Amino acid sequence: AKSFLMSLDVRAIAQPYMVAICDQLQQSVNLFLAQGDYRICIERVAADKPLRHDIKIGTVYPIFKGAAGKIFGAYLADFEDADMSADESAKIRRDGYVITRGNRVPDAASIAVPIFSFGNKLEAVMTISGPIGDYTEERVKEYLSAIRVLGQTISKEMGATL
C-alpha cells in the first residue's frame, strides 16, 4: 500500500513537469516504477509526432530492458543485471543518466534519469523517448540538460536532498 501511495505522489508531482518538457522538447515522456522483476509505466505524456512508439500507462516491462531498466539496474542494490557490468552501473550512478539507441525498440532512442524520494531512495525513473533520428549530438545535449534538471527538481519535491 505504501508503494502505491508513493506512486500517486510521484505521479502528481511529476505530471505537470512531464507536460512542460514534452512541449519543450517534442519528445514523449514516461514515468516508471519498479515492481519486483518488472517496471510499470505509471504516467506518460506523448509527443505529437507521426512517428512515435506508444507506451501505455499500466504497461509492464522486464525490469532491466531499455534506458529506464538500466537506471533501475544501476541503483537498486537487490537487483543484478547480467547485461550490465559493474563499470557500466558505476558510470550510470556517477553520471545520473543513461542514453540508449535501439536498445528495446530498433528505431527509438531514450534518455532516462532517476527520481529519488526522502532519504535519497530511488523512487521512479523518468525517460524521454522518440525517433532515433531526433537524437543527434546537438539535440542530446539539449535533451540531457532539460531532463537532468527535471529529475533533480522532482526529486527535491519528493523529499530528496541531492
Side-chain angles (χ1 to χ4, degrees), residues 43-141:
E43 188 60 75
R44 174 168 173 77
V45 179
D48 188 19
K49 289 188 169 203
L51 176 63
R52 69 172 190 252
H53 175 69
D54 267 336
I55 294 173
K56 306 229 181 315
I57 293 174
T59 302
V60 177
Y61 298 96
I63 187 76
F64 299 125
K65 294 295 182 190
K70 287 188 173 288
I71 294 286
F72 283 124
Y75 281 92
L76 296 178
D78 56 340
F79 290 127
E80 284 193 25
D81 182 0
D83 295 333
M84 184 186 305
S85 69
D87 287 344
E88 182 182 9
S89 178
K91 180 180 182 340
I92 291 168
R93 287 191 309 274
R94 182 179 61 250
D95 294 347
Y97 68 89
V98 68
I99 302 170
T100 60
R101 291 177 176 87
N103 183 269
R104 196 177 60 77
V105 177
D107 296 329
S110 296
I111 300 174
V113 296
I115 304 294
F116 298 102
S117 62
F118 184 77
N120 296 332
K121 173 187 170 280
L122 181 68
E123 193 60 47
V125 175
M126 182 171 291
T127 67
I128 58 169
S129 59
I132 204 164
D134 285 357
Y135 285 71
T136 63
E137 188 175 333
E138 183 178 309
R139 285 186 180 158
V140 164
K141 288 178 185 175

Side-chain angles (χ1 to χ4, degrees), residues 3-48:
S3 174
F4 176 73
L5 292 175
M6 188 59 81
S7 76
L8 293 178
D9 291 343
V10 72
R11 281 184 73 194
I13 290 169
Q15 205 275 339
Y17 292 110
M18 293 172 69
V19 170
I21 200 168
C22 179
D23 290 345
Q24 175 189 345
L25 302 178
Q26 291 301 300
Q27 296 295 301
S28 296
V29 187
N30 311 290
L31 188 64
F32 296 95
L33 288 182
Q35 292 292 322
D37 291 338
Y38 299 94
R39 61 184 169 96
I40 301 168
C41 180
I42 63 164
E43 188 60 75
R44 174 168 173 77
V45 179
D48 188 19

